[in-house]
Amino acid sequence: MSDLAALRLAAETYARGADRRDKAMWRAVLCDDIEIVGPGFAIAGIEANLGSIDYLAHAFVATRHLVHDIDAVITGDTAHGETRSTAEHRVAGKDGPDMLMVWAIRYQDQWRRDGTGWRFTRRELAVDWEELRPVHAVGATS
């Protein structure tokens, strides 16, 4: 597997882990000293970041994270680059239909290769825009 394919696999594993609420998947692709930064938050260390999985389960009915493409510069056992993604968050409706909060994301990523493969050392997410729309049941006519 090429290094770029392995970096993409790490990003896809991170996305699947978020959607499945699977901390083991995140542990497989995050370094112990991982830092994840985004609008209004900065979380350092693997254990603290694994707590984000619990937050996702509490805050959203479901999520779907899609990895679109990655540009990376690889130098030996380190890499940095940008991962473009979409994150969909289903929010329970209080007095109406559930809403879908969609983020267009550009992760500024840093990776390090160790004995098991490429792992993230830092992910900084920039949200280019957010879209809110109602979620309709499958087969709904409205």
Side-chain angles (χ1 to χ4, degrees), residues 23-137:
K23 293 179 182 181
M25 291 180 88
W26 269 25
R27 193 176 294 281
V29 296
L30 300 180
C31 287
D32 288 341
D33 59 349
I34 179 68
E35 181 180 24
I36 301 177
V37 178
F41 73 90
I43 304 171
I46 193 165
E47 295 305 324
N49 274 287
L50 291 175
S52 296
I53 295 284
D54 299 327
Y55 172 77
L56 289 173
H58 174 75
F60 305 111
V61 174
T63 59
R64 184 170 69 163
H65 292 77
L66 307 167
V67 177
H68 300 298
D69 57 334
I70 296 175
D71 294 316
V73 175
I74 300 164
T75 307
D77 289 333
T78 62
H80 68 275
E82 182 173 271
T83 302
R84 286 165 294 280
S85 301
T86 304
E88 300 174 340
H89 311 84
R90 186 172 180 167
V91 180
K94 294 187 184 197
D95 297 321
D98 287 359
M99 297 297 290
L100 193 64
M101 179 177 60
V102 181
W103 287 357
I105 295 175
R106 287 177 295 111
Y107 285 102
Q108 303 308 301
D109 286 326
Q110 295 176 23
W111 297 268
R112 182 170 57 235
R113 181 179 12 217
D114 64 16
T116 62
W118 288 99
R119 295 174 185 252
F120 291 102
T121 60
R122 188 174 202 308
R123 297 204 92 186
E124 182 171 349
L125 69 107
V127 179
D128 287 332
W129 65 82
E130 177 182 279
E131 177 185 0
L132 293 172
R133 61 181 182 250
V135 175
H136 300 285

Side-chain angles (χ1 to χ4, degrees), residues 7-29:
L7 296 175
R8 181 177 180 88
L9 179 60
E12 290 172 343
T13 300
Y14 178 94
R16 274 192 318 280
D19 295 340
R20 294 179 182 170
R21 314 297 189 251
D22 188 329
K23 293 179 182 181
M25 291 180 88
W26 269 25
R27 193 176 294 281
V29 296

